[in-house]
Amino acid sequence: MADECFDATGVAALLQPIVERHRRDSLRLLQILREAQDVLGYLPRTALTVIADAVGLPRARVEGVAGFYSFLHLQPVGRYRILFSDNVTDRMLGSAELMDRLCNRLWIERGKVSEDGLVSVDTTSCTGMCDQGPALLVDGRPLTRLSAERIDRIGELVRAQVAVSDWPREWFLVADNIRRRDVLLAHASAPGEAMRAAVARGRERLLQELQRSNLRGRGGAGFTTHTKWETARRAPCVDPQGGRYLVCNADEGEPGTFKDRVLLASHADLVFDGMSVAAFAIGAAQGLLYLRGEYAWLLPALTENLARRRRNGLLGVAACGQEDWSFDIDIHLGAGAYVCGEETALLESLEGRRGVPRIRPPYPAQQGYRGQPTVVNNVETLCKAALIALRGGDWFAGLGTKQSTGTKLLSVAGDVESPGIYEYPFGVAIDQVLHDCGAGNAQAVQVGGPSGSCLALHEFRRRIAFEDVPTAGAFTVFGAHRDLFEVARNFAHFFAYESCGFCTPCRVGTTLVANCMDKIAQGDGSQYDINEIFRIHRLLHAASHCGLGQTACNPLFDTLNKFRPAYERRLRSLDFAPAFDLDQSLSVARQMTGRDDPAAHFDPAGGMQPVDR
């Protein structure tokens, strides 16, 4: 539907319930934009103006936020919006070919809307379904285990304009695929049990148990959880009328990671218990769960779970029977921005802005959400905190290694017989995980996602631990038949696409790296381009504003060092080769004029060949 179809009066009437429900709060701008798009199909100029007036922001600011997130659209995208996962594991399973097949069936080009405005087909970085791909999202709902037959059927349903809600239900089934359970995944307790245990211990003793446990954040950096909580607890509130906040980071956008999906789908009460335990420890009255946009399909079940907890006295006024403490949880949806997995970018997004990482210090534990002391922990960390509240710090410290206590969830995908979630005590060897998941011919493992480490065969005796191979959870296996250059090239394009664009080194550098990889893939590369990648890697690592740019070249750096032949066999020469072939560019002109004589060709040594007269 074109912009001119929306008049200001009609749009204002449609959006008024949304802006009123969000109290016209500019800090809830992203949620308002998401819900407005659900009503209108996209965000026309008229809607942006109405929303800007309602929340008291300049229209340019509102449009800037809407333009930042890939799931928000300023132009129509069709009644059916189909997004194929472009993660490397989905590509290994044929997602690119399946997308081309659907485009051919629907007679449309990738990234464009069909002429009748019915449908558009494009890619998204990762859907969080790496264990059951190829996968896609249709109007936000996941379809897994795609096949050529299913793609043909999808094309028929779209052409027949069958509502997505009437498509076969089995297409939308998402399995947990839990392959190995340990203390977290095998745990069973009643909702609120961990919260009651925390209240019974009291704040001081709870924090002591957390300190004894030596729990470290499971998001990859491994910061000590007790230190973060204690800092937030003692930090002064900038606004005396406000309070402290507890944020659960459920924006796992790292390709290859899907453990949060399983925890939120099947262990939501433990997640909410962990949030409540953390909030009780630091004295927070409000919790916020930031849910990645690709997991919007989980929202109804999570919302119902929170409502049930309120009915049972686990949330709200006098939560868990504590007369002097009230606590509630709100869910905020992301809108397709990988960078929002970084905690300060997440806070910016929560406050209705573009997800650009903040300069630190101050750290969120000192000044976070709304400028108040804020603890930001990821889903797995909070689940582990709930277990510690139940069973104590000494018990937890007895698991894993001295520096890496407890267990770790691994999202295992790629060339394995049994992809899924595996839970191990820290210190497990890489080759043990490979044996358990059925990866008999692995040549490499990418641990920690694209920004992590690529391990070669001689490194498979190394161990998953902060002191050896740290990881946020992704564990992607590549068999001996895989081309590690193409893996690294996919990662290079991922970082170029996901850069927030705030700082020049990352915005330009990631694009230059992707271009270098494309040049090599086309057979036009040289040793110069290899050297250029190393040079850009050093620049990005030293000058980028945040961790995205600093780690963007990690997969290229690792594969160049460990699998260099995958690059060199594509090089035209070991000397400099121009990226632009002037003679090749004249081929169309030669075809149009019917000429192929020497004078119609370019000689690099002497320009165009002379014409005999």
Side-chain angles (χ1 to χ4, degrees):
M1 191 179 295
D3 279 5
E4 55 267 22
C5 296
F6 291 105
D7 66 275
T9 303
V11 168
L14 286 171
L15 300 187
Q16 183 177 0
I18 295 173
V19 296
E20 294 296 341
R21 184 166 59 255
H22 291 284
R23 304 180 300 279
R24 298 179 177 266
D25 186 353
S26 62
L27 270 63
R28 299 183 66 87
L29 176 60
L30 180 57
Q31 306 309 304
I32 294 172
L33 289 170
R34 282 198 61 115
E35 293 182 25
Q37 180 170 277
D38 289 341
V39 171
L40 301 174
Y42 73 107
L43 296 170
R45 292 187 296 270
T46 307
L48 297 177
T49 302
V50 169
I51 292 171
D53 291 342
V55 300
L57 291 175
R59 185 186 176 283
R61 161 82 179 279
V62 174
E63 185 169 352
V65 172
F68 180 83
Y69 297 92
S70 63
F71 287 177
L72 298 181
H73 312 293
L74 302 179
Q75 298 294 329
V77 291
R79 284 175 48 196
Y80 298 88
R81 176 64 168 167
I82 299 175
L83 297 173
F84 281 79
S85 177
D86 201 34
N87 180 31
V88 66
T89 55
D90 289 86
R91 280 185 166 260
M92 286 159 54
L93 293 169
S95 63
E97 294 78 11
L98 292 174
M99 182 175 67
D100 289 341
R101 186 183 185 97
L102 183 60
C103 287
N104 290 335
R105 294 293 186 277
L106 297 174
W107 288 84
I108 61 174
E109 295 181 55
R110 171 191 162 178
K112 296 185 178 180
V113 184
S114 59
E115 292 185 1
D116 58 2
L118 179 65
V119 61
S120 63
V121 177
D122 209 339
T123 60
T124 187
S125 293
C126 183
T127 59
M129 302 290 165
C130 312
D131 56 330
Q132 46 204 299
L136 60 77
L137 297 175
V138 54
D139 297 344
R141 298 181 61 182
L143 273 76
T144 62
R145 300 181 180 86
L146 297 172
S147 63
E149 294 74 18
R150 185 169 293 184
I151 287 295
D152 293 344
R153 181 64 179 140
I154 289 172
E156 295 171 359
L157 293 172
V158 170
R159 285 198 301 269
Q161 301 188 33
V162 176
V164 174
S165 58
D166 293 329
W167 290 15
R169 295 183 62 182
E170 62 271 17
W171 289 4
F172 300 97
L173 296 178
V174 177
D176 283 348
N177 288 333
I178 297 175
R179 308 297 186 180
R180 187 183 192 280
R181 300 176 187 268
D182 210 294
V183 295
L184 193 162
L185 296 178
H187 175 77
S189 62
E193 188 174 343
M195 187 177 171
R196 294 187 186 93
V199 170
R201 291 181 188 275
R203 288 187 174 90
E204 293 293 341
R205 188 179 165 201
L206 175 62
L207 286 166
Q208 290 172 7
E209 295 294 338
L210 191 69
Q211 186 174 26
R212 278 200 289 269
S213 75
N214 195 28
L215 173 65
R216 298 173 66 173
R218 295 317 198 235
F223 193 76
T224 305
T225 305
H226 169 265
T227 301
K228 182 181 288 189
W229 288 18
E230 192 66 54
T231 301
R233 181 192 181 205
R234 296 185 181 280
C237 292
V238 176
D239 179 7
Q241 300 301 317
R244 293 169 175 78
Y245 291 92
L246 183 283
V247 175
C248 175
N249 183 350
D251 191 48
E252 62 167 6
E254 199 82 45
T257 309
F258 46 89
K259 60 186 176 59
D260 288 0
R261 183 201 82 213
V262 173
L263 291 174
L264 291 166
S266 298
H267 297 268
D269 273 307
L270 190 62
V271 176
F272 292 140
D273 268 3
M275 292 181 68
S276 302
V277 166
F280 175 73
I282 68 172
Q286 180 65 52
L288 302 164
L289 189 149
Y290 188 96
L291 183 66
R292 69 180 294 204
E294 292 83 351
Y295 291 167
W297 56 277
L298 288 170
L299 184 60
L302 293 173
T303 301
E304 171 55 32
N305 187 300
L306 290 177
R308 183 167 59 249
R309 292 176 74 90
R310 293 186 189 101
R311 291 194 298 269
N312 294 336
L314 300 178
L315 291 174
V317 177
C320 206
Q322 288 294 104
E323 296 297 332
D324 61 341
W325 181 58
S326 297
F327 177 66
D328 211 336
I329 296 173
D330 191 15
I331 300 176
H332 285 236
L333 271 174
Y338 164 74
V339 72
C340 288
E342 195 276 337
E343 62 178 5
T344 63
L346 182 150
L347 293 174
E348 288 289 295
S349 185
L350 277 175
E351 294 181 359
R353 291 189 284 270
R354 297 161 66 92
V356 176
R358 298 174 179 176
I359 296 174
R360 296 179 292 182
Y363 294 93
Q366 301 163 316
Q367 292 181 37
Y369 182 64
R370 296 178 180 259
Q372 301 290 76
T374 304
V375 162
V376 183
N377 283 134
N378 78 349
V379 175
E380 184 182 354
T381 306
L382 291 167
C383 287
K384 297 292 171 59
L387 296 182
I388 293 167
L390 280 167
R391 305 183 66 173
D394 291 336
W395 162 80
F396 192 83
L399 306 169
T401 71
K402 185 175 181 180
Q403 297 181 50
S404 306
T405 58
T407 62
K408 185 75 191 80
L409 301 187
L410 299 178
S411 304
V412 179
D415 292 317
V416 301
E417 293 179 2
S418 303
I421 296 295
Y422 292 73
E423 184 183 11
Y424 292 97
F426 265 123
V428 63
I430 300 293
D431 53 12
Q432 179 64 55
V433 181
L434 293 173
H435 174 271
D436 292 349
C437 69
N441 68 337
Q443 69 164 319
V445 180
Q446 185 73 26
V447 181
S451 61
S453 303
C454 184
L455 305 181
L457 186 64
H458 68 277
E459 300 175 282
F460 288 175
R461 291 187 180 275
R462 295 181 64 183
R463 298 183 178 276
I464 299 293
F466 291 109
E467 62 269 30
D468 191 358
V469 182
T471 177
F475 191 99
T476 307
V477 181
F478 301 104
H481 60 295
R482 297 297 179 187
D483 185 344
L484 271 297
F485 170 84
E486 284 299 335
V487 172
R489 185 180 172 213
N490 177 271
F491 291 159
H493 279 274
F494 167 77
F495 284 115
Y497 177 78
E498 293 292 351
S499 172
C500 75
F502 172 76
C503 70
T504 302
C506 181
R507 181 180 67 251
V508 177
T510 53
T511 300
L512 289 176
V513 168
N515 290 344
C516 281
M517 296 295 282
D518 287 345
K519 179 183 175 184
I520 295 171
Q522 293 160 9
D524 295 323
S526 69
Q527 185 62 44
Y528 171 86
D529 300 290
I530 300 293
N531 296 336
E532 188 72 358
I533 290 173
F534 277 101
R535 188 183 70 84
I536 298 172
H537 168 72
R538 291 191 295 270
L539 175 66
L540 282 169
H541 187 74
S544 292
H545 176 64
C546 78
L548 187 150
Q550 294 163 11
T551 61
C553 286
N554 281 5
L556 281 71
F557 190 77
D558 277 353
T559 51
L560 271 167
N561 281 326
K562 300 171 185 177
F563 303 96
R564 197 179 186 93
Y567 289 74
E568 291 184 340
R569 65 170 170 260
R570 287 179 162 81
L571 302 183
R572 173 177 291 187
S573 72
L574 295 180
D575 300 317
F576 172 74
F580 180 68
D581 188 333
L582 182 56
D583 185 68
Q584 179 63 29
S585 71
L586 295 172
S587 61
V588 176
R590 287 194 292 268
Q591 184 179 13
M592 293 175 64
T593 58
R595 291 184 58 182
D596 198 29
D597 56 280
H601 284 269
F602 178 78
D603 178 7
M608 300 299 292
Q609 297 294 320
V611 180
D612 292 333
R613 296 294 185 186

